[in-house]
Amino acid sequence: AQKVTQAQTEISVVEKEDVTLDCVYETRDTTYYLFWYKQPPSGELVFLIRRNSFDEQNEISGRYSWNFQKSTSSFNFTITASQVVDSAVYFCALTPPSYGKLTFGQGTILTVHP
Amino acid sequence: DTAVSQTPKYLVTQMGNDKSIKCEQNLGHDTMYWYKQDSKKFLKIMFSYNNKELIINETVPNRFSPKSPDKAHLNLHINSLELGDSAVYFCASSPRDGSYNEQFFGPGTRLTVL
C-alpha cells in the first residue's frame, strides 16, 4: 500500500519569507513517481513537478525548488521569497509504476500575508 | 480551448435523486480518472478508464457508476444521492495508462446534497 504524509496542515508566512512544505511517502515499489500539485483558491488543480524514483537530482524552477531524498523517503518543496499569489493548498502525490493511481497527501494550506 | 472540461460546475440536489456529471478531454489522451475531494480537501481516486476500459475501481459504493462512451469522455452517474456524497469531483486525463505521465485535471464539480 502507498501512503503520503504532509505533516504540516497549515503554514502562515509573511511575504518574502522562504517556506518549505514537507512530504514523506511510503511505498514498497522500487520504481515510483512523485508529484506536487497546487490548488489555488479558485479550486483547480495545477501540476507543478514530477519526479521518478531513480532521479534524485534536486530541481529549481524560478522561486520553486524541490528536494528529493530517497534515503528518508521525502520530497520537500521550497518556495523562496514567497508572494501572496502563492497562497494555496499544496498536495504531494505518489503513483506506482504500473498505472496512474495518484495517492495524495492530506495537503498543506499555505497562506502568504502581505 | 479547455483541455479537460466538466459539466456542471455546481450541482445542488436533494437526497435520493440521481445525477450525472460529464467530463470531456480534447487532449487526445487514452486514460481518464475520477477523483473525489471531501470537505477536508482530501483527494482520493475513484475510477480510471483506459481506452474505454475500466482499470481502477476503488472501494466506491455501487451507487456510483462511471461510463465511458469513447476515450474522450468519462461520465459519472450517481444513484440515490446521500448527504455524504457532497464533495468536489474532479475528472482528469493522462496520455496513457502510465504512472509517469502527469494528470491534467478538470475544474471540478461541486456537488451539494441537501
Side-chain angles (χ1 to χ4, degrees), chain B residues 4-68:
Chain B
V4 182
S5 59
Q6 294 179 229
T7 53
K9 188 166 174 61
Y10 300 97
L11 185 53
V12 181
T13 188
Q14 299 287 332
M15 241 180 4
N17 284 350
D18 302 339
K19 290 293 178 186
S20 291
I21 305 172
K22 295 185 178 182
C23 178
E24 177 182 1
Q25 54 94 3
N26 62 7
L27 298 166
H29 289 169
D30 295 319
T31 309
M32 297 184 72
Y33 312 80
W34 278 111
Y35 289 85
K36 178 180 179 181
Q37 185 173 43
D38 63 23
S39 58
K40 295 183 179 178
K41 298 286 189 180
F42 185 65
L43 276 155
K44 186 170 168 57
I45 192 166
M46 301 173 70
F47 302 103
S48 175
Y49 270 74
N50 185 50
N51 277 323
K52 302 194 298 175
E53 181 184 346
L54 181 66
I55 55 171
I56 295 175
N57 185 351
E58 290 295 287
T59 309
V60 177
N62 57 16
R63 298 183 294 104
F64 289 79
S65 52
K67 286 194 173 46
S68 182

Side-chain angles (χ1 to χ4, degrees), chain A residues 9-27:
Chain A
T9 305
E10 290 192 54
I11 300 176
S12 184
V13 299
V14 177
E15 217 171 10
K16 297 185 184 174
E17 281 185 36
D18 298 347
V19 57
T20 295
L21 309 182
D22 297 333
C23 173
V24 174
Y25 61 91
E26 295 174 29
T27 180

Side-chain angles (χ1 to χ4, degrees), chain A residues 19-72:
Chain A
V19 57
T20 295
L21 309 182
D22 297 333
C23 173
V24 174
Y25 61 91
E26 295 174 29
T27 180
R28 292 181 182 172
D29 297 313
T30 53
T31 302
Y32 49 88
Y33 302 91
L34 295 161
F35 299 80
W36 275 94
Y37 281 85
K38 173 182 179 180
Q39 187 174 39
S42 49
E44 72 274 21
L45 284 159
V46 179
F47 166 80
L48 294 178
I49 191 171
R50 169 187 54 230
R51 180 60 86 227
N52 76 56
S53 52
F54 296 107
D55 182 2
E56 290 194 67
Q57 279 192 333
N58 291 331
E59 181 154 339
I60 299 174
S61 175
R63 297 183 296 107
Y64 295 172
S65 62
W66 291 269
N67 179 266
F68 175 32
Q69 292 201 341
K70 209 168 176 178
S71 59
T72 57

Side-chain angles (χ1 to χ4, degrees), chain A residues 72-94:
Chain A
T72 57
S73 297
S74 66
F75 187 41
N76 296 337
F77 172 32
T78 298
I79 302 174
T80 303
S82 60
Q83 300 176 0
V84 172
V85 293
D86 296 327
S87 296
V89 184
Y90 290 87
F91 292 97
C92 181
L94 170 69

Side-chain angles (χ1 to χ4, degrees), chain B residues 62-114:
Chain B
N62 57 16
R63 298 183 294 104
F64 289 79
S65 52
K67 286 194 173 46
S68 182
D70 54 61
K71 73 174 193 177
H73 296 84
L74 179 62
N75 303 324
L76 183 65
H77 188 74
I78 316 170
N79 289 328
S80 304
L81 278 155
E82 299 177 358
L83 293 176
D85 298 331
S86 294
V88 180
Y89 293 84
F90 285 97
C91 177
S93 71
S94 65
R96 60 181 179 272
D97 177 24
S99 52
Y100 181 74
N101 295 295
E102 71 178 88
Q103 294 180 22
F104 294 78
F105 284 81
T109 295
R110 182 175 293 277
L111 170 65
T112 303
V113 182
L114 303 174

